[in-house]
Amino acid sequence: MERREVYTTQQPDGTYVTTTTREQTKYKEQSVWSCARGPTDKNYCMGPLGLLRICQIFLCVVIVCLITSVFGPGPFKGVLFGQTILLTAASVAMLLTFIFLIAYFFTLHLTHLDFFCWREADLTFNIVCSILFVILSIVEAYYSTGSWSNNCNDIGSDGIIHNGCRIIYEWAFASFLTFLLAILYAATAWLSHQNRHSLHNRSRDELY
């Protein structure tokens, strides 16, 4: 904004002098946060990456339910401490997967949260989950045999007696789903790496 002022003064000799002053004021507009309906990537949830994340969330919930259905929610100690690790890993993975799903669906990685390195974090998260769940599926398969118990016949689950031990069907199924979950995270990591540029460009075009 510019402001102009004109002054006229009389000199001692009787002449008049006109003085003009100009004052410029610059205003810097700060960023304003508001709550409103923003752009969404409607095709993401119906695409391969979105469907994979939805399946991952579902499998995490099922795995937690299967593990806790035998001896309760724990916490498991001693030889069964691996169950606590699997429960924690599945719960954290479910939460972070949901965050990635919401962020990509509402295009937060391009708008409000564009300062975060989403692609690198997403790829690292999926690789870590894939490796971790492969290891935990093997541990869970060992637990499902019941051979960890001092007295296998006392395990409180119906099953087939094998070498004096009872197969715990809930944990055996949980082991299978954990391995399947590892495959899904590996597939998500591969697709995220392959589509890292196309997803970004497509979302930019839809946003603008």
Side-chain angles (χ1 to χ4, degrees):
M1 183 179 68
E2 182 176 334
R3 180 183 178 184
R4 177 184 298 182
E5 295 182 355
V6 179
Y7 301 95
T8 302
T9 58
Q10 185 178 7
Q11 301 297 320
D13 58 357
T15 60
Y16 292 91
V17 177
T18 301
T19 304
T20 303
T21 60
R22 294 181 179 179
E23 181 181 353
Q24 281 188 339
T25 305
K26 294 183 178 181
Y27 296 94
K28 183 179 180 181
E29 183 178 355
Q30 297 181 351
S31 300
V32 179
W33 293 85
S34 61
C35 295
R37 182 178 179 181
T40 57
D41 189 356
K42 301 179 179 61
N43 296 324
Y44 180 79
C45 288
M46 299 306 297
L49 286 172
L51 293 176
L52 280 173
R53 294 191 191 278
I54 294 174
C55 292
Q56 289 162 3
I57 295 173
F58 175 75
L59 288 182
C60 286
V61 174
V62 174
I63 290 172
V64 171
C65 293
L66 288 173
I67 294 175
T68 58
S69 64
V70 179
F71 293 133
F76 297 92
K77 300 179 181 180
V79 69
L80 289 178
F81 184 70
Q83 296 287 45
T84 301
I85 298 177
L86 178 54
L87 286 174
T88 303
S91 301
V92 173
M94 175 181 61
L95 176 61
L96 294 180
T97 302
F98 180 75
I99 291 176
F100 278 111
L101 179 64
I102 293 299
Y104 287 133
F105 176 71
F106 288 104
T107 63
L108 297 178
H109 62 299
L110 301 176
T111 54
H112 297 82
L113 303 177
D114 58 342
F115 57 88
F116 184 69
C117 51
W118 287 97
R119 184 178 67 84
E120 293 78 5
D122 188 11
L123 183 62
T124 303
F125 168 70
N126 288 304
I127 293 175
V128 170
C129 284
S130 178
I131 297 174
L132 180 62
F133 284 125
V134 166
I135 298 174
L136 291 176
S137 67
I138 298 174
V139 175
E140 188 65 19
Y142 165 73
Y143 286 150
S144 66
T145 62
S147 58
W148 48 269
S149 176
N150 293 329
N151 189 354
C152 295
N153 292 325
D154 290 340
I155 296 177
S157 177
D158 295 332
I160 301 175
I161 296 179
H162 178 67
N163 293 332
C165 300
R166 292 179 180 271
I167 296 178
I168 306 177
Y169 288 120
E170 296 88 345
W171 289 358
F173 191 44
S175 173
F176 169 75
L177 293 183
T178 303
F179 184 76
L180 179 61
L181 185 61
I183 296 177
L184 293 183
Y185 275 109
T188 304
W190 183 78
L191 287 177
S192 298
H193 179 71
Q194 293 293 323
N195 301 333
R196 63 189 183 280
H197 298 303
S198 61
L199 177 62
H200 184 272
N201 295 334
R202 178 170 59 87
S203 300
R204 283 287 184 185
D205 294 339
E206 293 178 357
L207 184 60
Y208 299 107

